[in-house]
Amino acid sequence: DLVLFPPKPGTAEPRLGTYIRIVYKNRLKGNPGIFTLVIDAQKRLILNRTYRHATRHWMLEGQGTIAKDGESPYESVARCIQSEIGRPLFGLTILCDDFVAERGLVGDAVPLILAVVGGEPVKSVEDATVAGHVILTPDEYQAALFDGRYFVDGILHRVHAGSTMTAFHLAKARKLL
């Protein structure tokens, strides 16, 4: 995009520049996608083990998806959980309607949702980007946040995914964890 940035403080002239961003077509229909933090009946977090090429690191993170045409946020959550967790959705709580996941590349705000699932852990899931799961109590996840990392089978995983941290702290503040 060609962009006219506001003037810097103390100057009157706007600044001309360029900007790269990604816009999902479903944004025009009101549901660009969702982000979920999934817990089980014991209020343990079920985190995906995902390799993120942008950071070149393994991550422990919540689940999320881009909406499909005509899909409601609830339908997006149910599909995402089935694909990434492989467990039935029992209920959900919207933690935030309009979370901005990062500062500009993706111009969408998405809902942050706490989802409760049932069933037993599955060994493999449909989503090829998910290498497995780690199930942590809230205290274990908070300790990993303070440490900045978590090891799975000797492999370092980063834990500071912004959506996951924000959903975790909102859920704790509402006493849902």
Side-chain angles (χ1 to χ4, degrees):
D1 282 347
L2 187 59
V3 178
L4 197 57
F5 290 98
K8 288 186 177 183
T11 66
E13 291 297 315
R15 297 168 293 130
L16 183 62
T18 57
Y19 197 77
I20 297 171
R21 66 182 171 152
I22 299 169
V23 179
Y24 299 111
K25 68 180 179 177
N26 286 336
R27 178 181 190 198
L28 298 172
K29 297 179 181 178
N31 179 19
I34 52 90
F35 179 82
T36 64
L37 179 63
V38 175
I39 61 172
D40 63 15
Q42 292 80 39
K43 297 187 178 183
R44 299 176 302 178
L45 286 68
I46 303 172
L47 301 170
N48 288 355
R49 293 182 58 225
T50 308
Y51 188 83
R52 292 291 177 199
H53 291 277
T55 63
R56 292 181 170 60
H57 282 277
W58 284 95
M59 301 288 295
L60 288 186
E61 59 189 17
Q63 298 71 31
T65 191
I66 298 167
K68 291 188 175 188
D69 281 340
E71 199 172 52
S72 72
Y74 183 87
E75 291 167 329
S76 296
V77 171
R79 179 179 51 79
C80 176
I81 288 173
Q82 183 59 45
S83 171
E84 295 186 23
I85 301 284
R87 292 185 179 194
L89 174 63
F90 280 175
L92 59 83
T93 300
I94 295 176
L95 300 170
C96 174
D97 284 323
D98 56 355
F99 178 71
V100 179
E102 50 77 42
R103 300 181 343 179
L105 182 63
V106 178
D108 291 316
V110 299
L112 289 181
I113 296 168
L114 181 68
V116 181
V117 297
E120 294 299 316
V122 295
K123 294 189 188 262
S124 65
V125 293
E126 297 170 24
D127 192 315
T129 65
V130 178
H133 303 97
V134 172
I135 299 174
L136 299 175
T137 67
D139 288 341
E140 290 169 332
Y141 178 69
Q142 186 147 334
L145 284 178
F146 288 142
D147 192 38
R149 58 194 180 172
Y150 189 85
F151 287 90
V152 178
D153 298 327
I155 299 170
L156 171 70
H157 287 64
R158 290 186 173 177
V159 295
H160 290 138
S163 302
T164 307
M165 289 190 307
T166 303
F168 174 75
H169 288 296
L170 286 171
K172 277 190 70 171
R174 292 185 182 181
K175 302 191 183 330
L176 299 170
L177 295 177

